[in-house]
Amino acid sequence: MKTHVLPVGYIPLVDAAPLIVAQEMGFAAQEGLVLDLKRAPSWSGLRDMLAFGQVDAAHMLSPIPVASALGLGSAGVHFDAIMVLSINGNVIGVGKELAHQLQDQGHDFSFNDPTKAGRALIAATKSRLRIGVPFPFSMHAELLYYWLTALGLPAPQNVDIRTIPPALMADALKAGEVDAFCVGEPWGSISVDHSEGALLLPGAAIWKRAPEKVLAVRSDWVQSDPAIAHRLIRAIWRACAWLAAPGSRMLASELLSRGGYLNLPTEIMDRALTGTLTVTPQGLQRHCANFLEFHDGSANFPWRSQAQWIAGQLAARTGLDRVQAMDAASTVFRADLFRQALRQTTANLPGASAKIEGGNTESATVAGESGSLILPSDSFFDGQIFDPSQPA
């Protein structure tokens, strides 16, 4: 097999681990690939690197390929999500002033009750709430809009969402540019360690199985060389499986912490990988089961229904026709390509390519291509469900 050097972009976040592990642990080499990992400073920068061919694939916010299909913010370039890299992994936090107000109100920062936390936040807000997110088309923004609107603070009408690169979130809090934030780890923990904020809630508390990052490619690139795309999917799928193994955490933390990648202490990486986070500068710790998921529960499967949920949310706040948006998004998450790539592996993939999102309040057994498999609970905090066959 001829070795192929593949430029791949990423943002320095814990959930970039599948790409880093694929290269460092030899899973890419098994497929005859060398991943030339290129660190980007911001999501807009990474999107443009992919759009203009500076990289062939990228660690990407799951809504960006959907937004591109809807004509939102992509310079006319269409992207495909060829697999999901991670589920969840975000934190919602508040700056020092809001944290003090919440404490004065008696909020206990329990980190597991989105209704209580949301109502406390709304009660503590004296004016229009300014929240930092890494990018306008992101699961960070969609979860915030969903959560706050469900609790009676319609967004974006009553919320000022501001774009802040992940690594600058603590600085934005310190400068008073935002009151609160939603960001991927380790940057929420960095804000706590710098005594600039406190963590209010994990994103997983709003939607238990939110597709956070995807492996994105240009649609024309996939069409021109699907065999390379298959090899890339297999390499990263094996890396995700390795990350899910209990004995891999210490080495994964060490790899991520290296200067060429995140260049941060391993202890910071451990928080996200274990789900035990320090939520206040005073050292209060909380644990969130399944805080960040790389593989288990068919986490890497690109469900069409996830893309359609994202499209429906984007349409609602940008004035697009919801049915047309969901139809346009239905081919963005490439379940077909993912199946083709893993056909010769041990993967047992779901028999369907779409499902009712939020329909499993408990783990459920479903049909797979090679027997049954178990899908974890994917519920939304308010009990709503999304049926892609009923778009109205």
Side-chain angles (χ1 to χ4, degrees):
M1 183 186 301
K2 182 180 178 180
T3 299
H4 187 92
V5 178
L6 202 63
V8 180
Y10 75 99
I11 294 288
L13 291 159
V14 175
D15 58 25
L19 302 179
I20 295 167
V21 165
Q23 177 58 27
E24 295 288 346
M25 296 301 295
F27 299 112
Q30 290 176 18
E31 292 291 339
L33 298 175
V34 173
L35 304 188
D36 180 13
L37 297 176
K38 298 182 179 295
R39 177 169 164 162
S42 67
W43 289 111
S44 59
L46 182 54
R47 177 202 59 193
D48 292 345
M49 287 168 64
L50 183 61
F52 297 114
Q54 295 172 318
V55 295
D56 290 331
H59 160 242
M60 191 66 74
L61 297 161
S62 59
I64 289 182
V66 176
S68 76
L70 306 185
L72 300 172
S74 64
V77 179
H78 281 209
F79 304 128
D80 286 342
I82 58 176
M83 67 180 291
V84 174
L85 294 176
S86 61
I87 298 291
N88 298 320
N90 293 327
V91 288
I92 297 170
V94 295
K96 289 186 290 188
E97 183 178 344
L98 263 179
H100 290 319
Q101 291 175 9
L102 288 166
Q103 289 169 341
D104 290 344
Q105 292 173 188
H107 186 65
D108 61 0
F109 289 85
S110 61
F111 208 57
N112 63 359
D113 189 333
T115 299
K116 180 175 71 173
R119 288 176 176 164
L121 178 62
I122 292 169
T125 301
K126 306 302 183 184
S127 59
R128 187 176 173 87
L129 187 61
R130 302 169 303 162
I131 307 181
V133 300
F135 198 67
F137 307 126
S138 62
M139 192 55 67
H140 314 82
E142 300 315 324
L143 290 177
L144 285 170
Y145 288 136
Y146 184 92
W147 174 54
L148 293 174
T149 299
L151 292 176
L153 187 69
Q157 298 95 324
N158 297 289
V159 178
D160 182 7
I161 299 292
R162 302 187 176 187
T163 301
I164 309 288
L168 299 181
M169 204 62 76
D171 293 338
L173 286 173
K174 183 177 182 179
E177 296 173 9
V178 293
D179 308 304
F181 61 85
C182 183
V183 73
E185 280 294 281
W187 301 109
S189 289
I190 293 294
S191 296
V192 174
D193 285 4
H194 289 184
S195 297
E196 296 299 337
L199 303 185
L200 188 63
L201 204 66
I206 299 171
W207 184 11
K208 287 186 178 180
R209 299 289 288 183
E212 174 53 32
K213 302 301 190 306
V214 296
L215 182 62
V217 298
R218 295 182 307 280
S219 299
D220 60 352
W221 182 83
V222 170
Q223 294 169 4
S224 67
D225 207 341
I228 292 294
H230 289 169
R231 288 157 64 181
L232 180 61
I233 289 170
R234 286 193 294 270
I236 297 179
W237 176 77
R238 292 188 178 104
C240 288
W242 181 87
L243 281 162
S248 299
R249 179 179 56 79
M250 290 183 63
L251 181 52
S253 294
E254 192 276 325
L255 291 173
L256 289 168
S257 70
R258 291 180 181 177
Y261 297 125
L262 272 68
N263 194 28
L264 291 167
T266 58
E267 186 270 334
I268 297 287
M269 309 304 155
D270 280 342
R271 298 185 200 181
L273 294 175
T274 63
T276 299
L277 287 92
T278 301
V279 300
T280 69
Q282 294 73 37
L284 179 66
Q285 289 191 327
R286 301 297 191 196
H287 180 73
C288 174
N290 307 119
F291 172 78
L292 172 62
E293 183 61 69
F294 289 113
H295 182 72
D296 292 344
S298 298
N300 304 123
F301 191 78
W303 294 95
R304 287 201 311 263
S305 46
Q306 293 175 338
Q308 290 172 300
W309 183 87
I310 293 168
Q313 299 299 115
L314 289 173
R317 65 183 178 87
T318 59
L320 297 176
D321 181 272
R322 190 166 183 265
V323 174
Q324 291 179 2
M326 287 172 55
D327 184 60
S330 63
T331 59
V332 172
F333 278 31
R334 296 292 304 276
D336 58 329
L337 198 69
F338 189 73
R339 292 185 193 280
Q340 292 165 14
L342 297 186
R343 191 162 289 154
Q344 304 304 317
T345 71
T346 59
N348 181 18
L349 303 180
S353 294
K355 60 185 176 71
I356 296 176
E357 299 295 336
N360 293 342
T361 56
E362 304 289 344
S363 296
T365 301
V366 300
E369 291 185 343
S370 305
S372 62
L373 53 83
I374 296 175
L375 296 182
S377 170
D378 64 351
S379 58
F380 293 95
F381 85 99
D382 57 353
Q384 294 295 310
I385 64 170
F386 170 72
D387 184 346
S389 68
Q390 304 291 328

